[in-house]
């Protein structure tokens, strides 16, 4: 004999019920002996509860909900039952519906809803569903019989969560099954007291009904048929990467369900475990899949833990005060008082100082618990030995579970590392004495992020996912997305790294997709489906999504965007950017951003601020970290100015060289933005700061290359007129340099605390002499690299190399993630 239980999700619609019938027929064909237990149609129990509460509050809208329940059942019958039998089945169901309606009406008249009445009202969900299914199975050629479990399962009077009298119940079940030859279609969830009052076994209790029948009949197995592929590493609705577990032990299943895995109702396990009856969790919608076998043995696989469960909503009560220290019996009084008031404790922690005890409970029990404790510890509270009872809300529990935990060190380190790296604050933690679970209490707003990062850490330890929020998709940003798209498969396969672009913003529009924007069609999607851009909303959305391993990528050069950096780092989100404005803004801001990143354990990277993709800042930081001392820094730091002076040898007028450069797109739209030296000044400022100096932009001395008239010219055309006037002056400089065997280079330098930007004539011995094209070159003279400085040279501008630099930072951030 097997017991098959079909949950609300399996009997929620006519199509699902047909699917259930197929499974049943298949078992019949195989000549298997079995009985089945059904829940109410999915969602009906919640609707009945809602209707009953509204009725008790004299809220007439309960009638609409009732109408909804009625329509759903009648429609299901019409869909499933052939015309000839329809009126009979509808009439039978109508009798139940009328009774339900009368009860709701009664509740609305007396404006009171006891748990006892609610249980009776709730029973209609299971009774109607099982009746309709039994009729449908008969029609499909499976001789079936509706069985109201209230006739057999006897309980005490704890309405809403009744305790089973196993002796009576087992006897009744065994007796009943002696005289049946038809398939029994049993109502889940419901039972009755000795005197015939209807009770229920707790929410999700149909699983338990199946266990009660299974144990009584010494079944060979109990199969819980639901809508997922068995018990998974965690709730697949919360973690996309969750996967099915082939086996688990009763204890593991117990812990998983106790800590919130709804896939099986916790009390289900005990009666089956004590008789060593295996439980299979199977998927109605994927019946050939093996599912999960829960039994005494759990195959241990390569993973450190079995699964992760969560309880979304808990309250944490703290009992603290000097009166707790060293006093025996406090805990027993505490938990005695809670038990008397029927408050279920989910998790307990005690600080080793014994100064406080914290425990998590269902928030709906908060007031009951507060009253119970206030009463129990009244004297101590009055005498101020115990502080007034504090209750914290908006908290959730996350528990990792598995038998491997007993023997394996380092699991908690991994657990807390994953949480810490994502800026999740652990409010309390507890390890079950069985060492089968380790649980933490975290703010509810962080639950999804915590769950995903812990799941990644334990189950995809080799695999990592980073979530990007990209602002600015112009030349650099667009190229970056292109590079990510091209490299994505390689990274996934070779580096086991998934890069998801979750948000994209450009000057007009922004687009989000929590599961990752399609990088093939992002431009079109942004055009067609993007919302009007709003930076506030963009940043807010990023925080609210609260995804693990988030990186904000600022590809703009905008002062507006950097205003958000503080709050972004504060939300434990990493930043990478080629935007120089933050690191070359005020020193205080520069310093605070770095500290903020450090304190939140996230990265704030801006390597591309200097020398684009060249490893300039990382080299500098490596030098410093390895104890070297920076004596001086020199560099040609602007690709544009490098090109102009590498090209200019006096043979063509200087103004012509600038014009050519502009035409080739090597300069800013207004070439003065390059020629004024500001961009270079910002870069040497950043270098000086990274070398450990406190400096402001105005401390950088800029020797102007051109006469002031050039800069004052009101338009670009007039600027070129002025520039031509300066051609002679520039030619003189070039010639006198040439006479000494020198060339002109626009060099930024930092030495003895002074940063300078100037046009210099350098001879052949100088490394900048041989610079060509638009290359950048930076030379560090340090105590170790003294005679011959450390030189970095290469293309220091352009979308491809800058985007590649940002991309490299994204990968470097992901390498450091949990
Ligand atoms: P039924 O109506 O069949 O009783 P439930 O909704 O009670 O179904 O339970 C199935 C649901 O449990 C799944 O849809 C899934 O979202 C949730 N769930 C939570 N944790 C887990 C887990 N670890 N493995 C599988 N499902 C889980
Ligand atoms: N229908 C009941 C509930 O929703 C019992 C169950 O589904 O197991 O809680
Ligand atoms: Mg269930």
């Amino acid at each position: 004999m097997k017991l098959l239980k079909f949950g609300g999700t399996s009997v929620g619609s006519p199509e699902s019920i047909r699917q259930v019938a197929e499974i049943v027929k298949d078992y019949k064909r195989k000549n298997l002996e079995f009985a089945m237990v059904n829940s109410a149609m999915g969602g009906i129990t919640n609707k009945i509860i809602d209707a009953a509460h509204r009725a008790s509050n004299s809220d007439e809208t309960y009638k609409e909900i009732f109408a909804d329940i009625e329509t759903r059942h009648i429609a299901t019958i019409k869909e499933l039952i052939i015309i000839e039998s329809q009126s009979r089945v509808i009439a039978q169901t109508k009798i139940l519906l009328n009774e339900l309606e009368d009860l709701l009406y009664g509740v609305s008249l007396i404006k009171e809803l006891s748990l006892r009445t609610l249980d009776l009202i709730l029973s209609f969900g299971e009774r109607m569903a099982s009746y309709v299914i039994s009729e449908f199975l008969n029609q499909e050629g499976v001789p079936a019989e509706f069985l109201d479990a209230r006739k057999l399962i006897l309980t005490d009077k704890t309405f809403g969560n009744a305790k089973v009298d196993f002796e009576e119940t087992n006897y009744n079940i065994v007796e009943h099954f002696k005289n049946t030859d038809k398939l029994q279609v049993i109502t889940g969830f419901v039972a009755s007291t000795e005197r015939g009052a209807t009770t229920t076994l707790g929410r999700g209790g149909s699983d338990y009904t199946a266990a009660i029948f299974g144990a009584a009949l010494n079944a060979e197995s109990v199969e819980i048929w639901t809508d997922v592929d068995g018990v998974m590493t965690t709730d697949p609705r919360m973690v996309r990467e969750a996967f099915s577990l082939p086996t688990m032990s009763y204890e593991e299943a117990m812990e998983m369900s106790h800590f919130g895995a709804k896939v099986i109702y916790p009390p289900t396990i005990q009666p089956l475990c004590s008789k060593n009856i295996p439980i299979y969790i199977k998927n109605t919608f994927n019946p050939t899949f093996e599912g999960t076998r829960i039994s005494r043995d759990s195959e241990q696989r390569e993973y450190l833990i079995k699964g992760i469960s969560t309880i979304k909503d808990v309250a944490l009560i703290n009992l603290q005060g000097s009166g707790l220290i060293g006093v025996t019996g406090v805990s027993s009084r505490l938990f005695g008082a809670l038990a008397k008031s029927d408050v279920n404790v989910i998790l307990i922690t005690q600080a080793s100082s014994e100064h406080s005890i914290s425990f998590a409970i269902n928030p709906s029990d908060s007031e009951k618990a507060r009253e119970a404790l206030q009463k129990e510890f009244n004297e101590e509270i009055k005498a101020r030995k115990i502080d007034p009872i504090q209750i914290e809300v908006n908290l959730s529990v996350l528990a990792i579970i598995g038998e491997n935990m007993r023997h394996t060190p380092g699991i908690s380190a991994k657990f807390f590392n994953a949480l810490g790296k994502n800026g999740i604050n652990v409010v309390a933690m507890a390890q079950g004495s069985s060492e089968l679970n380790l649980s933490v209490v975290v703010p509810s707003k962080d639950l999804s992020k915590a769950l995903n990062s812990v799941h990644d850490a334990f189950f995809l330890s080799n695999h990592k996912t980073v979530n990007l929020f990209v602002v600015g998709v112009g030349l650099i940003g667009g190229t970056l997305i292109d590079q990510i798209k091209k490299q994505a498969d390689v990274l996934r396969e070779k580096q086991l790294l998934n890069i998801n672009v979750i948000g994209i913003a450009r000057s007009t529009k922004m687009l989000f997709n929590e599961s990752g924007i399609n990088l093939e069609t992002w431009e079109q999607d942004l055009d067609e489906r993007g919302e009007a851009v709003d930076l506030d909303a963009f940043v807010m959305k990023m925080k609210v999504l609260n995804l693990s391993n988030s990186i904000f990528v600022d590809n703009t050069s905008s002062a507006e965007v950097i205003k958000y950096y503080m709050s972004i780092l504060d939300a434990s989100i990493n930043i990478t950017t080629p935007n120089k404005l933050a690191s070359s803004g005020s020193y205080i801001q520069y310093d605070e951003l770095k500290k903020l990143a450090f304190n939140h354990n996230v990265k704030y990277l801006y390597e591309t601020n200097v020398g684009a993709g060249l490893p300039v800042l990382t080299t500098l930081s490596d030098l410093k970290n390895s104890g070297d001392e920076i004596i001086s820094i020199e560099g040609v730091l602007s690709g544009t100015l490098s090109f102009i002076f590498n090209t200019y040898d006096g043979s063509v007028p200087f103004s012509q060289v600038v014009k050519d450069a502009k035409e080739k797109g090597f300069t800013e739209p207004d070439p003065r933005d390059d020629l004024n030296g500001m961009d270079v000044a910002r870069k040497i400022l950043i270098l000086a700061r990274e070398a450990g100096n406190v400096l402001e932009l105005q401390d950088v001395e800029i020797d102007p290359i051109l006469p002031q008239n050039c800069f004052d010219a009101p338009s670009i055309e007039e600027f070129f007129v002025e520039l031509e006037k300066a051609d002679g002056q520039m030619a003189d400089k070039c010639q006198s340099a040439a006479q000494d065997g020198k060339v002109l280079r626009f060099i930024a330098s930092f030495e003895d605390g002074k940063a300078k930007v100037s046009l210099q004539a350098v001879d052949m011995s100088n490394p900048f002499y041989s610079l060509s094209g638009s290359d950048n070159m930076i030379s560090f003279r340090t105590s170790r690299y003294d005679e011959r400085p450390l030189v970095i040279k290469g293309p220091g501008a352009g979308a491809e190399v800058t985007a590649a630099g940002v991309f490299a930072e994204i990968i470097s951030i992901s390498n450091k993630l949990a």
Side-chain angles (χ1 to χ4, degrees):
M1 168 68 98
K2 286 177 197 280
L3 252 292
L4 275 54
K5 178 260 171 175
F6 293 94
T9 47
S10 300
V11 298
S13 67
E15 302 76 59
S16 319
I17 295 175
R18 278 186 213 284
Q19 181 63 30
V20 168
E22 286 309 312
I23 295 168
V24 167
K25 283 194 275 183
D26 184 47
Y27 273 45
K28 272 280 164 203
R29 246 177 270 136
K30 291 178 181 150
N31 271 329
L32 297 172
E33 196 194 344
F34 62 97
M36 69 192 277
V37 171
N38 301 291
S39 297
M41 294 180 76
I44 291 293
T45 305
N46 283 343
K47 276 200 195 296
I48 299 181
I49 292 178
D50 190 11
H53 280 121
R54 288 184 197 213
S56 72
N57 291 323
S58 311
D59 177 349
E60 290 285 306
T61 56
Y62 83 83
K63 292 181 179 159
E64 289 162 27
I65 300 179
F66 171 76
D68 203 28
I69 296 171
E70 174 165 34
T71 315
R72 224 172 120 196
H73 284 90
I74 302 296
T76 303
I77 296 170
K78 287 190 173 157
E79 187 69 37
L80 292 176
I81 304 291
I82 49 170
I83 300 280
E84 298 79 63
S85 325
Q86 253 183 34
S87 53
R88 179 177 55 81
V89 178
I90 289 179
Q92 282 298 322
T93 308
K94 271 278 193 189
I95 294 174
L96 293 171
L97 282 164
N98 289 344
E99 209 179 313
L100 172 61
E101 190 176 19
D102 288 349
L103 282 165
L104 289 170
Y105 181 58
V107 168
S108 80
L109 289 181
I110 55 175
K111 299 188 182 30
E112 197 248 84
L113 178 64
S114 67
L115 286 177
R116 178 186 175 125
T117 307
L118 181 61
D119 271 1
L120 176 59
I121 292 180
L122 279 176
S123 70
F124 287 86
E126 267 57 21
R127 287 156 63 193
M128 290 192 290
S130 294
Y131 167 66
V132 174
I133 291 166
S134 68
E135 287 288 354
F136 181 60
L137 287 173
N138 274 309
Q139 178 184 307
E140 292 288 291
V142 179
E145 195 168 64
F146 166 73
L147 171 57
D148 188 337
R150 293 179 301 170
K151 288 199 300 206
L152 306 181
I153 304 181
L154 289 193
T155 67
D156 69 2
K157 289 187 293 188
T158 321
F159 294 99
N161 199 3
K163 304 288 165 292
V164 176
D165 173 346
F166 276 98
E167 213 172 305
E168 287 284 333
T169 301
N170 289 347
Y171 175 80
N172 293 343
I173 292 175
V174 170
E175 284 303 304
H176 176 85
F177 272 78
K178 277 184 184 157
N179 311 312
T180 57
D181 48 4
K182 289 183 177 170
L183 167 63
Q184 298 297 296
V185 183
I186 309 165
T187 54
F189 187 45
V190 297
S192 73
T193 65
E194 212 180 356
R195 310 191 58 175
T198 299
T199 55
T200 61
L201 302 173
R203 290 305 308 272
S206 297
D207 297 346
Y208 191 33
T209 305
I212 295 167
F213 276 85
L217 297 169
N218 286 317
E220 140 204 357
S221 64
V222 170
E223 300 181 357
I224 310 277
W225 289 80
T226 181
D227 64 342
V228 282
D229 279 343
V231 183
M232 308 182 80
T233 48
T234 192
D235 189 345
R237 289 185 207 179
M238 292 182 75
V239 177
R240 251 186 304 153
E241 291 84 7
F243 54 89
S244 314
L245 301 166
T247 62
M248 60 194 327
S249 68
Y250 291 118
E251 287 79 11
E252 287 172 332
M254 188 87 90
E255 296 282 333
M256 284 279 279
S257 61
H258 178 70
F259 282 95
K262 195 185 166 203
V263 65
I264 185 162
Y265 179 53
T268 311
I269 296 157
Q270 206 282 325
L272 299 173
C273 171
S274 65
K275 289 201 154 177
N276 199 14
I277 297 171
I279 309 169
Y280 291 86
I281 312 287
K282 304 226 356 144
N283 189 349
T284 301
F285 308 99
N286 185 15
T288 50
F289 188 79
E290 293 266 329
T292 303
R293 176 188 159 94
I294 302 171
S295 65
R296 278 208 185 138
D297 355 280
S298 152
E299 173 203 12
Q300 294 306 326
R301 295 199 299 164
E302 70 266 41
Y303 301 109
L304 290 172
I305 60 169
K306 208 57 187 248
I308 312 168
S309 283
T310 59
I311 305 175
K312 289 203 178 80
D313 202 9
V314 299
L316 194 70
I317 300 201
N318 295 314
L319 189 70
Q320 62 179 41
S322 56
L324 295 179
I325 302 175
V327 183
T328 47
V330 173
S331 313
S332 78
R333 279 172 63 198
L334 168 65
F335 295 110
L338 292 172
K340 248 189 274 158
S341 311
D342 223 9
V343 174
N344 180 32
V345 176
I346 299 168
L347 161 158
I348 309 158
T349 66
Q350 177 166 31
S352 58
S353 68
E354 292 190 37
H355 182 252
S356 73
I357 302 177
S358 303
F359 54 93
I361 57 172
N362 194 324
S364 60
D365 287 341
S366 296
E367 279 320 305
K368 254 194 319 193
R370 188 203 294 274
E371 273 167 33
L373 298 183
Q374 205 80 42
K375 206 163 119 206
E376 179 66 40
F377 294 104
N378 191 21
E379 292 304 315
E380 286 92 339
I381 293 173
K382 265 204 212 142
R384 303 204 173 182
K385 283 189 182 158
I386 291 181
D387 301 345
I389 313 291
Q390 302 160 10
I391 305 186
E392 281 179 72
V393 290
N394 297 330
L395 297 171
S396 306
V397 173
L398 185 154
I400 56 173
I401 287 140
E403 302 210 324
N404 271 351
M405 292 176 61
R406 285 205 188 109
H407 328 285
T408 323
I411 288 184
S412 31
K414 203 178 184 67
F415 188 27
F416 290 104
N417 191 26
L419 296 169
K421 283 250 158 83
N422 281 288
I424 292 151
N425 183 25
V426 174
V427 181
M429 57 186 139
Q431 173 154 36
S433 55
S434 59
E435 279 193 55
L436 218 61
N437 90 69
L438 186 62
S439 3
V440 291
V441 178
V442 297
S444 300
K445 69 172 178 34
D446 288 335
L447 180 63
S448 163
K449 178 171 165 182
L451 181 55
N452 278 280
S453 38
V454 173
H455 192 270
D456 269 11
F458 281 100
F459 293 110
L460 310 171
S461 49
N462 306 321
H463 251 107
K464 280 177 204 155
T465 300
V466 292
N467 296 303
L468 303 190
F469 294 85
V470 181
V471 174
V473 283
L475 218 47
I476 297 176
T479 310
L480 174 67
I481 292 184
D482 227 37
Q483 291 177 352
I484 295 175
K485 180 178 77 188
K486 289 199 183 111
Q487 195 61 10
D489 288 343
V490 176
L491 286 174
R492 201 171 301 120
E493 277 162 34
K494 298 266 153 50
Q495 303 268 328
L496 304 178
L497 175 65
N498 286 326
I499 300 191
N500 284 336
V501 179
I502 307 293
I504 294 184
R506 65 157 180 244
S507 49
T508 48
K509 285 190 164 174
M510 60 185 192
L511 178 72
F512 292 94
N513 183 345
E514 246 180 276
S515 4
I517 291 170
N518 182 345
L519 297 187
E520 297 291 340
T521 57
W522 69 270
E523 280 180 288
Q524 197 187 340
D525 294 347
L526 189 60
D527 275 341
E528 287 169 8
R529 290 189 282 110
E531 330 162 24
V533 79
D534 170 354
L535 267 182
D536 268 340
F538 188 89
V539 172
M540 184 53 87
K541 175 89 180 182
M542 179 169 73
K543 291 188 195 169
V544 170
L545 281 176
N546 205 5
L547 299 175
S548 54
N549 304 341
S550 295
I551 306 178
F552 180 77
V553 188
D554 171 14
N555 295 313
T556 71
S557 51
S558 139
E560 271 312 298
V561 183
I562 66 168
K563 289 185 189 151
Y564 293 90
Y565 283 13
M566 296 254 183
S567 82
I568 291 171
L569 294 172
D570 208 31
S572 297
I573 295 169
N574 304 278
I575 298 181
T576 160
T577 180
N579 184 348
K580 284 187 272 299
L581 295 184
S583 29
S584 62
S586 77
Y587 184 83
I588 294 187
Q589 174 183 277
Y590 163 86
D591 189 47
E592 262 186 40
L593 288 170
K594 294 190 99 150
K595 283 191 184 137
L596 212 51
F598 182 81
N599 290 338
H600 284 83
N601 210 355
V602 289
K603 296 286 165 200
Y604 164 47
L605 301 179
Y606 40 87
E607 171 66 89
T608 45
N609 281 191
V610 182
L614 298 177
V616 179
L617 301 185
T618 32
T619 305
L620 178 52
S621 134
D622 287 346
L623 289 173
K624 268 191 60 198
N625 290 340
S626 63
D628 206 347
E629 201 187 318
I630 314 294
I631 300 168
S632 68
I633 305 171
E634 269 193 310
V636 167
L637 300 175
S638 150
T640 312
L641 294 180
S642 180
F643 175 81
I644 290 175
F645 288 103
N646 297 343
T647 312
Y648 180 59
D649 58 5
S651 60
V652 177
F654 185 70
S655 58
Q656 191 55 48
V657 174
V658 175
K659 247 182 225 156
D660 284 351
K662 177 171 158 46
E663 264 150 37
K664 288 200 170 101
F666 286 2
T667 70
E668 293 294 323
D670 186 338
R672 286 174 292 183
D673 290 337
D674 298 301
L675 291 162
N676 67 11
M678 275 315 283
D679 178 63
V680 174
R682 286 187 184 275
K683 289 174 178 166
I684 192 71
L685 172 69
I686 296 170
L687 285 167
R689 285 177 172 176
E690 293 291 301
N693 302 280
V694 180
L695 225 72
E696 299 291 351
L697 188 56
Q698 56 269 28
D699 299 331
V700 182
E701 197 184 309
I702 307 177
D703 262 0
I705 317 175
L706 304 172
Q708 193 55 36
N709 287 349
C710 290
F711 295 109
D712 293 342
S715 68
I716 300 181
E717 290 72 35
E718 283 159 282
F719 154 67
F720 274 110
V721 175
E722 291 298 326
L723 189 61
E724 277 168 33
K725 292 184 194 156
D727 275 343
Q729 191 184 328
M730 197 57 94
D732 286 349
K733 274 191 202 169
C734 185
Q735 256 153 35
S736 74
Q739 272 159 16
D740 299 340
K742 293 182 177 173
V743 293
L744 296 178
R745 295 290 180 258
F746 193 68
I747 295 174
S749 63
F750 180 75
E751 189 166 12
D752 294 334
K754 283 211 67 71
K756 231 174 102 177
V757 176
S758 62
L759 191 60
Q760 296 178 24
V762 300
D763 63 22
M764 267 174 86
S765 68
N766 187 301
F768 298 115
Y769 181 91
S770 55
L771 213 54
S772 64
S774 61
D775 276 2
N776 276 17
M777 185 163 186
I778 296 97
S779 101
F780 295 110
R781 204 153 67 77
T782 71
S783 2
R784 290 180 195 149
Y785 292 94
D786 192 9
E787 289 297 295
R788 290 176 52 230
L790 174 68
V791 172
I792 299 165
K793 181 180 155 193
E800 276 293 330
V801 290
T802 309
V806 176
F807 196 2
E809 287 194 326
I810 292 171
I811 295 185
S812 114
I813 293 173
S814 62
N815 285 338
K816 296 198 173 76
L817 292 170

